[in-house]
Amino acid sequence: MLSDDQLLRYSRHILLDDIDLAGQEKLFAASVLIIGAGGLANPAALYLAGAGVGRLLIADGDTLEVSNLQRQIGFRQSDVGSNKAQALVAQLAALNDSVQLQAHPQFVDQHWLAEQLHDVDVVLDCSDNFATRAMVNGACVAARVPLVSGAAIRFSGQLAVFDLRRDDAACYACLYGSGESRDELCSESGILGPVVGTMGTLQALQAIRLICGLPVAEKLQLFDGHTLEWKSLGFRKDPACPVCGLQR
Ligand SMILES: [Zn+2]
């Protein structure tokens, strides 16, 4: 049963036929792990905390720099020099004190991921490098936890959902391969704030859809910040995938 305060606070969700009271209860009961606390994670975490997700766990070993403030909208100038995961969690606590918040002020490793994923419903990969993405994917495949992957560079964004609860779901490696790839860094190539913010916002949307049991398309969505056009590419599980092909 929702309290009167909760009914008021989440009334715009409850008005939605596809969310309603049942969906809001699912959000209260959900646990989401966000990898990274940068330009994707900032809007994603703000929307998920606002939505009343029960538990948010945010992991990032990075320290906030002045050059991050152009796009990482959850932070304030006074946060510069702080650990990003801890600073973001402090802002989320001010937004919604009923969310159980945990900051992990370190870069993730396989052991830590495996431990956390026992108790997580959805993972948002908001990291900025291929090695972390591959590690997070492997952990999500092993634990059968849905993964919402976002990326952005310059004027371009990418979004994909891997619903690894399903036997026939593709994983990140089915789509992108599992070999080494040279990372394009925002610190070298540049990134426009609203582009990365759009992708992070849509990661939150897909997480809410997964938690509420709404259908999620198995498509790679590509956003062009010049034309505002989207491309949608289908993909499938690769039976020979070295990450998910052998384990299923
Ligand atoms: Zn795979």
Side-chain angles (χ1 to χ4, degrees), residues 35-57:
I35 308 294
L40 294 165
N42 265 258
L46 286 164
Y47 275 117
L48 292 177
V53 164
R55 177 173 164 262
L56 278 177
L57 178 52

Side-chain angles (χ1 to χ4, degrees), residues 17 23 38-39 44 79 86 101 109 133 164 175 188 196 216 224-225 234 240:
D17 289 342
D79 293 322
Q86 290 172 329
L101 295 162
D109 60 38
R133 290 173 190 280
L164 298 163
L175 180 58
E188 296 169 0
V196 69
V216 179
D224 181 337

